[in-house]
Amino acid sequence: MARKTPTVGGADRTGRGEGACFERLFADLPPEAREELRRLACPFHREAGDLLFQEGMPAKGIYVLKRGRVKLVQQTPDKRKKQILRILGPGDLVGEEAFFAGGAYTAYARALEPTDYCFFPGRDFVEFLHRHPAAAFRLLERLAEEVKGYQRLLVEVAYEKGEERLARLLLDLARKAPPPGGPERGRVIDLGLTRTELAELLGLRPETTIRILHRWEAEGILDIEGPRLVLLDEEKLSAYARPAPEPEAAGGEERAEQARPRPRGPRRGS
């Protein structure tokens, strides 16, 4: 008789790859610190559509993704509208903002595909950070990267064309996808999102997103196969994607003022 897989909170807890959950984030820690972190990790598995956590739940720890993808979604107070904040993949943290702020989750996290992750109980994880300052600094670096990403997104939404943002997102997803094999003519981008969700993620109207995708299909850049996209011409798509604008660093106004040419006074004797 097959052994029944133990579950915790409805999630399959198989013990798959505890160490792999933090290979990317804490790979440079000493072996003894990594072993200690490995003992703290609680591995879980979710199927597509399952929740990792619900909006409003107390934030009792952080999640680190090992395999699969998760969407982080925030709802309006009346629950009538939703906004996808991020699509997360292997090595990404989930729920860390709410945990370190000491409150409840302000969004919900749902698996887009079969997903393995580790949960680190809050109190144990904080004590670990106190014992290993190098890990705390590494975590701060990751949080700073995420803040910078949000700033970049605000700049893109304010100043960039929709096709530039969409091209950049598809190229990023395509580079993370496995190389084409078998009968596939190009790299397959399995979005796991509806066209409306894709538009929400980019700050576009759904009809604008659909119009751009169909134009690119007519130009031979990609094929639309239901929820999947097949990238046929990466070079052409890259031509639509300019480098992402960087948020201006603090003090930019002062530097610009210093660099601005000053009017010259009248010459002597004139």
Side-chain angles (χ1 to χ4, degrees), residues 46-269:
R46 296 286 192 185
E47 292 297 332
D50 290 347
L51 286 169
L52 278 69
F53 55 78
Q54 182 61 275
E55 188 173 353
M57 285 177 52
K60 296 184 178 180
I62 67 170
Y63 302 73
V64 182
L65 300 183
K66 174 200 169 188
R67 180 179 70 93
R69 292 181 303 151
V70 168
K71 65 177 180 180
L72 195 63
V73 183
Q74 191 168 44
Q75 303 179 98
T76 56
D78 58 9
K79 310 295 184 184
R80 293 183 179 179
K81 294 182 179 180
K82 299 182 294 184
Q83 173 65 52
I84 297 179
L85 302 177
R86 284 191 294 165
I87 301 296
L88 303 159
D92 285 335
L93 300 173
V94 191
E96 72 282 7
E97 304 98 329
F99 170 70
F100 286 113
Y105 296 116
T106 57
Y108 67 81
R110 188 183 298 276
L112 292 171
E113 59 195 43
T115 298
D116 294 323
Y117 64 93
C118 289
F119 176 74
F120 292 88
R123 180 179 298 177
D124 295 339
F125 188 66
V126 169
E127 290 175 355
F128 170 82
L129 294 178
H130 279 294
R131 290 191 297 270
H132 301 281
F137 279 110
R138 184 68 187 90
L139 188 61
L140 285 173
E141 289 175 357
R142 174 58 66 88
L143 294 174
E145 290 170 4
E146 292 180 1
V147 170
K148 189 174 181 180
Y150 279 121
Q151 291 175 330
R152 184 182 296 112
L153 178 60
L154 289 173
V155 173
E156 288 181 13
V157 171
Y159 299 111
E160 294 292 292
K161 294 180 179 179
E163 61 185 18
E164 293 171 359
R165 304 202 299 275
L166 180 56
R168 206 152 39 235
L169 174 65
L170 295 183
L171 286 169
D172 182 57
L173 293 174
R175 287 160 187 160
K176 295 176 181 176
E184 300 292 356
R185 293 175 296 143
R187 208 172 279 263
V188 176
I189 307 171
D190 197 349
L191 295 172
L193 301 171
T194 66
R195 298 295 181 259
T196 299
E197 290 175 325
L198 181 61
E200 288 175 356
L201 182 61
L202 294 166
L204 301 175
R205 294 176 180 271
E207 55 269 27
T208 301
T209 304
I210 294 170
R211 184 173 64 251
I212 295 171
L213 289 174
H214 282 291
R215 176 157 53 83
W216 287 347
E217 186 176 37
E219 293 177 10
I221 294 175
L222 51 80
D223 271 346
I224 302 173
E225 299 180 354
R228 304 191 326 164
L229 302 175
V230 181
L231 180 57
L232 305 175
D233 195 327
E234 184 173 338
E235 185 176 350
K236 282 186 178 179
L237 186 60
S238 298
Y240 282 100
R242 297 189 304 174
E246 291 291 338
E248 188 169 355
E253 296 84 359
E254 290 81 354
R255 288 195 300 273
E257 181 66 24
Q258 293 170 3
R260 186 175 299 151
R262 302 291 183 183
R264 296 182 178 180
R267 295 180 181 178
R268 291 183 180 181

